[in-house]
Amino acid sequence: MGNAMRGVIAFIPSERCQRYLVGDLKEMPLDRTLDLSSHQLRRLPVTACVFDELVKLYLSDNNLSSLPNELQDLRKLQLLALDFNCFEELPAAICRLRQLSILYLGNNRLHRLPRELKELKELNTLWLETNCFIDFPKVVCELTNLKTLHFGYNQIHSLPKDLRRLQELKSIWLPGNLLTEFPPELLEMHSLAIIDVDRNKIRQFPNMSHMQGLKLVIYDHNPCVNAPMVGEGVRRVGCWADITDDGQEDDGSKEGREDTTEMAEVHSEEKQNNLEARE
């Protein structure tokens, strides 16, 4: 099908036209993975929901703003990628996918999440970056199995106290928000290994040396007057990162320009983990 023809058909949201975009979906994929990313879809054809053994479904980079109720029939689905779409509300069918462990919702238009999301007891990775959240959705605090949370580039000013309930959380990514102080809730979350508050409005950082599981703190691009105090072996990326907590320059540490390299390596590792999950 030519690109021009696909472009015309993509604007016709009928079931028949959308089926035409995805092609023949008569057989269950052998790897139980269905990738319909970048197909210019405005509706997900119901025929894509008949594979009840499906484990991974990729719908990234389309024009979707809703999903059919039949999606809930994919009871064994573990990974659902909906990033780079047009969702303003989370479709109810997603909250009925009880085996879901990885959910990508970044780069949409979400501003709230339904209470029913708490039913996803197996969810351990949640991406919500680059949406329209003004307030942190409290239902996330009920996802007690969560280990990785990406919430960068929204418009939140603070985190709820109940976030402390996420005692399994290993990494939290909050760059590009409107935080004016370091969230005190994070200081009580001793399972955290990575904290990213890059590109916020934080002026002062607390003592974090008691957080024994901490490995990396990214706090660059904040109008801060100090660096966070951290325990031995914890990497800092930001102003004064090459200065020890007693005010002396750390001869054993790398220069500030290498902090950027460290940050890139961490994001590269996170990206690699992401890619492995998607395979």
Side-chain angles (χ1 to χ4, degrees):
M1 185 193 310
N3 289 334
M5 180 62 71
R6 289 184 65 91
V8 171
I9 293 176
F11 277 92
I12 306 174
S14 70
E15 178 74 13
R16 182 177 179 181
C17 288
Q18 299 302 296
R19 285 204 312 267
Y20 190 57
L21 290 174
V22 302
D24 191 2
L25 292 176
K26 293 182 179 179
E27 296 184 5
M28 171 73 185
L30 293 178
D31 60 357
R32 297 196 293 173
T33 298
L34 181 59
D35 190 349
L36 298 177
S37 299
S38 305
H39 276 63
Q40 303 180 21
L41 292 174
R42 293 180 176 273
R43 288 178 57 184
L44 178 64
V46 175
T47 53
C49 301
V50 301
F51 305 124
D52 55 7
E53 295 292 319
L54 206 64
V55 173
K56 298 179 181 180
L57 176 59
Y58 300 99
L59 299 171
S60 306
D61 191 25
N62 281 294
N63 296 301
L64 298 169
S65 58
S66 63
L67 293 172
N69 287 332
E70 287 82 358
L71 183 77
Q72 68 189 23
D73 296 334
L74 303 179
R75 294 184 176 86
K76 296 185 179 181
L77 200 66
Q78 298 176 18
L79 183 152
L80 178 59
L82 296 170
D83 42 330
F84 294 95
N85 275 286
C86 305
F87 291 100
E88 296 183 8
E89 301 280 345
L90 191 69
I94 294 176
C95 300
R96 303 187 186 105
L97 300 171
R98 302 300 174 84
Q99 296 301 311
L100 205 62
S101 60
I102 302 175
L103 179 57
Y104 298 99
L105 293 170
N107 292 272
N108 278 283
R109 303 169 187 172
L110 297 169
H111 58 93
R112 63 181 179 182
L113 295 176
R115 290 285 300 165
E116 291 77 11
L117 188 69
K118 67 180 181 179
E119 301 301 326
L120 300 183
K121 305 295 186 183
E122 300 299 319
L123 199 65
N124 61 56
T125 301
L126 178 60
W127 292 60
L128 289 165
E129 79 284 1
T130 317
N131 273 285
C132 302
F133 291 99
I134 296 176
D135 297 313
F136 188 91
K138 292 185 178 181
V139 67
V140 172
C141 301
E142 300 188 51
L143 302 172
T144 54
N145 196 45
L146 208 60
K147 293 178 173 58
T148 300
L149 174 60
H150 285 260
F151 204 84
Y153 300 97
N154 282 284
Q155 302 175 53
I156 61 169
H157 292 79
S158 62
L159 298 177
K161 293 182 179 180
D162 284 346
L163 191 72
R164 295 173 291 187
R165 298 175 58 185
L166 303 183
Q167 290 301 313
E168 297 296 319
L169 198 65
K170 302 296 183 185
S171 63
I172 185 166
W173 308 80
L174 300 165
N177 277 287
L178 301 174
L179 301 172
T180 56
E181 66 174 1
F182 185 85
E185 296 78 16
L186 301 184
L187 298 175
E188 301 180 37
M189 300 175 67
H190 300 287
S191 62
L192 281 173
I194 300 175
I195 299 175
D196 182 358
V197 289
D198 183 32
R199 299 183 186 279
N200 276 275
K201 300 179 182 298
I202 302 172
R203 296 193 57 83
Q204 191 164 6
F205 283 91
N207 186 339
M208 304 169 66
S209 59
H210 66 287
M211 301 182 70
Q212 297 183 358
L214 198 60
K215 296 180 180 178
L216 174 66
V217 182
I218 304 170
Y219 64 97
D220 209 8
H221 305 99
N222 279 280
C224 52
V225 297
N226 72 314
M229 295 181 62
V230 295
E232 184 177 357
V234 179
R235 189 69 178 156
R236 299 181 296 192
V237 178
C239 295
W240 308 291
D242 56 344
I243 303 298
T244 61
D245 291 332
D246 60 7
Q248 300 298 315
E249 185 173 356
D250 184 359
D251 294 334
S253 68
K254 300 178 182 178
E255 295 297 330
R257 64 179 179 275
E258 295 185 355
D259 288 338
T260 303
T261 301
E262 175 74 14
M263 186 173 177
E265 290 175 351
V266 171
H267 281 283
S268 177
E269 181 179 353
E270 184 78 10
K271 184 177 180 180
Q272 182 61 35
N273 292 338
N274 178 28
L275 290 174
E276 289 175 356
R278 287 181 175 241
E279 291 176 354

